Amino acid sequence: NPLLESGEQLVRVLIVKMSEDGECFDAASAEDVTASVNNDGVLYGDVPPGRYRVFLFIRTRHGGEEHTKDYLNPLNPKAVKAYLDEVYESHYLHFSEHFGKTLAGFFSDEPRFGSAESYSATLGKMPMVLPFSDELLEHLGNAFDGDFSNMLPCLWYDGGKNTALAKSTYMDVVSRLYAENYTQQIGDWCRAHQVKLIGHLVEDNGAHARLGYGAGHFFRAIHGQDWSGVDAVLLQLLPGYTSGKYPSPFGMHDSEFFYWGLTKLASSAGHLDPKKQGTTFCEAFGAYGWQEGLKLMKWLTDHFCVRGVNHFVPHAFSAKDFPDPDCPPHFYAHGNNPQWRYFKTWTNYTNRICHLLSDGRHIAPAAIVYHAEAEWTGGAYDPFEKTVKALMQRQLDCDIVPVDCLLDNNQATTLAGKLYINEESYQTIIVPYAECLPEKFLEKLNDFTRQGIRIIFMRDLPLRGVINGNGILARLRDNPLVTILEYAKLSEQLLEWDIFDIRATTIENDLQYYHYSRQEEDIYFFVNGSIFTTIDTQVLFRQANRPIGYNPMDNSIYKPSFKQLSDETAIDIYLEPYESTFIIFSEKHAEILTTLPGAHPKKDMHSCLEIKGPWQITIATAKEFPDFKKVPEITDLGNISNLERLPTFSGTIRYETEFEWCAISGDDWISLDLGEVYETAAISLNGKQVGVCIAPPYRVKITSFLNTGINYLRIDVTNTLAKQLGNNRFDCSIVHEPSGLLGPVKILTATV
């Protein structure tokens, strides 16, 4: 057949009547003429008057993503079983005694349909081959309640009123088959062999609800796994990139999705699925370039954890010879990474946070509907992250909940005006704007209102259902518990309805929090998401117990400044850029509260002495450390990476000086503030290690280290390998920071 390449098969030939302008067709008019094609590929038959189009549907292995063209077909259970026999069973044959012990599980990295090399592989909006299998047409027919063959053209072109139904049916079926035949089958094998299935999909730029790089439906595809998972690499998450799109060497990045949506998507699956037991892991830190040091890693850690991540898989090691150009940074880098000696500061910090945010229950007031079905219909829609952003900027937390959960009476239950899924409870359901939604789901929302649950539609109700929906849409519009809101009004309305967990008394767009209940404790994790602006506000908690504060960076507890009101506790929250803190309520801590030191008196500190030197400045690379050498280019504080200094130096710059200190009566909190530092600082005073700062504020308490009289100060500032190895596509796409101690270096004092 001249129409087919080697190995291809003709599945269907349809003739369809087109509109006069050729823009759309009536799918109901489609006629199957496959039997009229002879072995030479010639179609015989009479064509009625009018404009018609002939559609040929060919089964092929060509036209998809080149990288995955030889991968197994995830819709085919036999293909997945063969993969299990070849790979998983072979591992079990050799290492069965280690399963569930040394070997915790199998990591599945970015499985997908591979039908297009694109994040934007949406039906009807991008020409592409579509996933197919021997049984697919039968499955589609069962879901469609009839022969689906005539609906096939609607998957690529506008077939009029049938288009939304055809697209929705196809995406519903293939995403379910993917989940059942691929993830669930592999996950069941793992659990039967006492190990876990761990991994993540390709979620980037909204691909989680699409074909191509996606698996059609995030929650279905990841349900078979034992942990929820996500990755963030390739400069996808950066401080300050909270809206719009920006270019990178790896394509355009959707900031709103990566900043507000990505991690909430994964942690929501961890919360909703009992099998996952609240566990969400993140593969992170790789493919950011050598300019990513501990400072950015600390910011990324906070970003993930305050959205529900409690396990990390660092994408940042390489056994190849240094320097390996593949996806830097590499943490150890065969001893060449100058910051490696300080990595324990970051790992200790991260482990403390993850420990406190594990083995408990997340608490949030709102459920946001996952938008997959809205996108599948082909109509206009808002992605879920738009609603997440509107909530999080006002300290209103949420989970993303798929329609499947809401339709399942065994998963979603109601009691006293609240929605319950697994151990989560919600006071309201928020539906991102969608032009078209399934009638069955709209009917379910109406049912929820009978249980006293408020339903919020963003911007407007849908214009139609997948089939019709006029009746249920009219009932929703007249329902007093259904509200339509603009995004700018959402948070104010929830606060007015008393649907909130905490309240900040000032507008703080960068204040992010996560409420976790664990071992009879209510744990609140607070993060300043800004790297420029200080947060200074008062937060009201619905808690009666007295609070304690916990600083996970220095592993210290403190007594926060608070007032107990009639039904709330008001606590002062002061977070400088890059800072985080925990506020913990528990009866068992009440007895120690009176013995705790007060919070760091940051706002009350005043400059007492500026240390101006003279400074003795020496340098050492990672391999040379601790053998330092003097260089004439550096004579004072400032950026050592200037062209006239050492623009290609990566390593540690040591600053040494002496200063005189006269004790001041009454100042019992004394800090050393280094000002601007790039980027890791290790401080010693009078020969004793005071502390290590991996991110701002570069300030350490030195009260017990100071001597009256002459004091010897040493500051080791370590930059990243970007100055030495920054000529790569990862590092060339982002502004590089200075290197060294810029200062000013001051001693600050306060009375507490």
Side-chain angles (χ1 to χ4, degrees):
N1 191 321
L3 298 176
L4 305 179
E5 298 183 26
S6 176
E8 293 184 334
Q9 173 189 352
L10 187 65
V11 177
R12 288 286 189 281
V13 180
L14 302 178
I15 184 167
V16 179
K17 183 174 178 57
M18 302 295 295
S19 62
E20 288 302 317
D21 59 9
E23 292 297 321
C24 64
F25 58 88
D26 180 7
S29 72
E31 180 183 355
D32 187 344
V33 294
T34 311
S36 299
V37 179
N38 71 4
N39 292 333
D40 295 323
V42 179
L43 172 62
Y44 291 86
D46 296 327
V47 181
R51 185 169 184 167
Y52 288 82
R53 179 174 293 172
V54 176
F55 288 93
L56 289 80
F57 299 94
I58 299 169
R59 184 167 183 176
T60 180
R61 293 183 62 85
H62 308 295
E65 182 188 9
E66 183 67 20
H67 176 64
T68 59
K69 66 179 182 180
D70 296 321
Y71 282 22
L72 64 85
N73 182 355
L75 302 184
N76 187 335
K78 295 179 181 179
V80 179
K81 180 61 167 63
Y83 168 59
L84 280 169
D85 291 342
E86 185 67 25
V87 178
Y88 285 62
E89 289 285 359
S90 296
H91 279 78
Y92 187 71
L93 180 65
H94 288 87
F95 305 110
S96 59
E97 69 272 22
H98 301 294
F99 273 44
K101 300 172 185 175
T102 305
L103 300 177
F106 285 83
F107 188 91
S108 180
D109 190 58
E110 300 183 347
R112 52 191 180 267
F113 279 125
S115 54
E117 194 169 355
S118 172
Y119 298 123
S120 304
T122 302
L123 286 177
K125 296 185 179 180
M126 177 180 176
M128 59 178 162
V129 296
L130 301 186
F132 195 78
S133 70
D134 291 334
E135 301 83 11
L136 182 59
L137 281 177
E138 180 182 351
H139 287 295
L140 289 169
N142 292 336
F144 185 66
D145 198 21
D147 186 0
F148 191 81
S149 297
N150 288 359
M151 295 293 106
L152 288 173
C154 298
L155 304 182
W156 285 269
Y157 301 97
D158 183 2
K161 64 181 181 180
N162 294 293
T163 304
L165 178 59
K167 290 179 176 180
S168 297
T169 302
Y170 177 84
M171 289 300 298
D172 183 55
V173 168
V174 297
S175 60
R176 290 184 188 277
L177 290 175
Y178 181 104
E180 177 183 344
N181 296 332
Y182 183 78
T183 319
Q184 191 67 44
Q185 186 178 180
I186 297 174
D188 287 344
W189 184 96
C190 288
R191 287 180 283 277
H193 292 77
Q194 289 76 53
V195 290
K196 297 181 184 297
L197 178 58
I198 303 166
H200 69 91
L201 311 167
V202 180
E203 318 86 356
D204 310 354
N205 286 346
H208 52 84
R210 300 172 188 155
L211 304 175
Y213 286 153
H217 189 290
F218 176 84
F219 290 90
R220 292 177 183 175
I222 210 164
H223 179 74
Q225 292 186 186
D226 294 279
W227 290 359
S228 185
V230 71
D231 83 340
V233 293
L234 300 173
L235 302 166
Q236 292 167 344
L237 261 175
L238 291 170
Y241 286 69
T242 62
S243 62
K245 293 180 170 61
Y246 66 96
S248 81
F250 317 101
M252 295 295 291
H253 287 337
D254 182 345
S255 294
E256 201 156 90
F257 169 72
F258 284 117
Y259 197 95
W260 301 106
L262 176 66
T263 310
K264 293 300 291 185
L265 190 66
S267 65
S268 297
H271 299 152
L272 300 175
D273 182 2
K275 173 171 67 272
K276 295 176 172 54
Q277 297 181 319
T279 302
T280 299
F281 89 93
C282 183
E283 177 188 351
F285 311 117
Y288 263 69
W290 291 109
Q291 53 79 32
E292 180 194 29
L294 292 168
K295 181 172 68 170
L296 180 53
M297 286 174 58
K298 197 271 185 189
W299 183 90
L300 288 168
T301 301
D302 288 344
H303 177 95
F304 294 128
C305 289
V306 82
R307 289 162 172 80
V309 166
N310 49 20
H311 286 69
F312 284 92
V313 178
H315 176 295
F317 291 94
S318 174
K320 294 182 179 180
D321 291 340
F322 176 82
D324 179 7
D326 181 32
C327 296
H330 307 130
F331 286 176
Y332 178 60
H334 294 276
N336 289 279
N337 189 336
Q339 290 193 357
W340 173 248
R341 72 181 71 93
Y342 305 117
F343 265 65
K344 65 180 180 181
T345 303
W346 169 75
T347 55
N348 289 341
Y349 171 79
T350 303
N351 283 334
R352 292 169 192 140
I353 296 173
C354 290
H355 170 73
L356 285 176
L357 301 181
S358 297
D359 303 319
R361 180 173 64 92
H362 165 246
I363 296 174
I368 300 175
V369 175
Y370 181 51
H371 69 248
E373 285 80 359
E375 181 171 355
W376 293 349
T377 65
Y381 70 95
D382 286 343
F384 72 86
E385 58 264 22
K386 191 175 181 68
T387 307
V388 174
K389 179 179 180 179
L391 294 180
M392 287 192 68
Q393 287 189 324
R394 290 299 302 273
Q395 296 76 52
L396 292 159
D397 199 6
C398 58
D399 272 325
I400 316 307
V401 178
V403 169
D404 293 348
C405 269
L406 296 171
L407 291 177
D408 188 339
N409 292 331
N410 293 320
Q411 292 188 67
T413 61
T414 58
L415 180 66
K418 286 188 177 182
L419 170 71
Y420 291 85
I421 303 176
N422 193 18
E423 295 185 341
E424 300 286 323
S425 65
Y426 313 99
Q427 296 172 261
T428 185
I429 300 172
I430 305 175
V431 186
Y433 174 72
E435 182 180 325
C436 180
L437 284 172
E439 286 85 351
K440 185 188 299 185
F441 170 59
L442 295 173
E443 291 282 4
K444 187 65 175 181
L445 292 177
N446 198 53
D447 289 343
F448 281 136
T449 65
R450 298 189 183 102
Q451 309 303 318
I453 298 173
R454 288 188 178 274
I455 309 296
I456 300 172
F457 285 89
M458 300 311 302
R459 294 207 288 141
D460 203 351
L461 287 171
L463 298 179
R464 61 185 184 277
V466 171
I467 300 173
N468 185 326
N470 289 339
I472 179 57
L473 288 171
R475 292 197 299 276
L476 287 169
R477 193 171 294 277
D478 294 337
N479 192 317
L481 283 179
V482 172
T483 305
I484 297 170
L485 289 173
E486 296 296 328
Y487 288 98
K489 301 293 185 181
L490 177 60
S491 59
E492 286 82 357
Q493 185 61 77
L494 291 182
L495 293 171
E496 183 178 322
W497 284 336
D498 206 33
I499 298 177
F500 62 88
D501 185 24
I502 65 169
R503 288 184 297 140
T505 55
T506 56
I507 302 297
E508 301 290 348
N509 289 340
D510 296 306
L511 178 62
Q512 296 153 13
Y513 92 102
Y514 189 76
H515 182 185
Y516 205 68
S517 177
R518 178 179 182 271
Q519 298 178 0
E520 299 181 355
E521 296 176 331
D522 278 285
I523 300 170
Y524 297 82
F525 182 44
F526 287 94
V527 164
N528 184 350
S530 172
I531 63 171
F532 300 112
T533 305
T534 294
I535 292 171
D536 184 4
T537 189
Q538 188 177 75
V539 175
L540 302 177
F541 298 77
R542 291 176 152 167
Q543 298 288 342
N545 292 317
R546 291 185 294 172
I548 67 168
Y550 173 66
N551 184 338
M553 180 56 73
D554 62 15
N555 196 28
S556 65
I557 56 177
Y558 63 91
K559 179 181 178 180
S561 174
F562 71 95
K563 295 178 181 178
Q564 288 189 304
L565 310 176
S566 58
D567 56 353
E568 292 178 311
T569 299
I571 300 180
D572 294 333
I573 300 293
Y574 186 88
L575 293 174
E576 296 180 69
Y578 289 92
E579 280 198 310
S580 63
T581 194
F582 282 90
I583 300 295
I584 302 172
F585 293 88
S586 174
E587 284 188 26
K588 64 183 179 181
H589 297 315
E591 60 188 39
I592 68 169
L593 192 63
T594 57
T595 67
L596 293 180
H600 192 304
K602 303 170 189 176
K603 293 194 293 183
D604 299 324
M605 302 202 80
H606 58 274
S607 177
C608 185
L609 174 68
E610 181 175 350
I611 302 174
K612 297 184 178 180
W615 298 91
Q616 178 181 332
I617 304 173
T618 52
I619 63 172
T621 65
K623 289 290 190 179
E624 294 169 340
F625 189 92
D627 296 326
F628 285 81
K629 61 183 179 182
K630 176 70 176 174
V631 288
E633 292 91 340
I634 312 175
T635 58
D636 54 12
L637 303 187
N639 179 16
I640 74 156
S641 296
N642 286 338
L643 282 174
E644 63 274 14
R645 292 188 172 186
L646 301 172
T648 62
F649 173 76
S650 291
T652 299
I653 311 101
R654 174 165 287 178
Y655 300 84
E656 299 173 277
T657 192
E658 292 182 346
F659 65 92
E660 186 172 2
W661 175 254
C662 297
I664 301 175
S665 176
D667 282 339
D668 48 7
W669 193 298
I670 307 173
S671 293
L672 179 70
D673 189 299
L674 304 184
E676 288 190 73
V677 179
Y678 300 94
E679 63 170 45
T680 295
I683 303 106
S684 296
L685 187 59
N686 297 318
K688 297 179 181 179
Q689 184 74 31
V690 177
V692 173
C693 298
I694 62 172
Y698 292 96
R699 185 184 306 122
V700 291
K701 187 177 181 181
I702 60 172
T703 309
S704 60
F705 295 89
L706 268 176
N707 294 330
T708 300
I710 301 299
N711 289 263
Y712 165 66
L713 175 63
R714 188 181 79 190
I715 305 167
D716 285 354
V717 176
T718 304
N719 66 359
T720 69
L721 278 169
K723 304 305 179 186
Q724 177 184 338
L725 300 173
N727 189 21
N728 59 73
R729 64 176 182 157
F730 303 97
D731 285 297
C732 286
S733 61
I734 193 167
V735 174
H736 289 212
E737 293 183 326
S739 298
L741 175 60
L742 278 62
V745 179
K746 296 180 178 180
I747 291 181
L748 309 178
T749 63
T751 301
V752 295

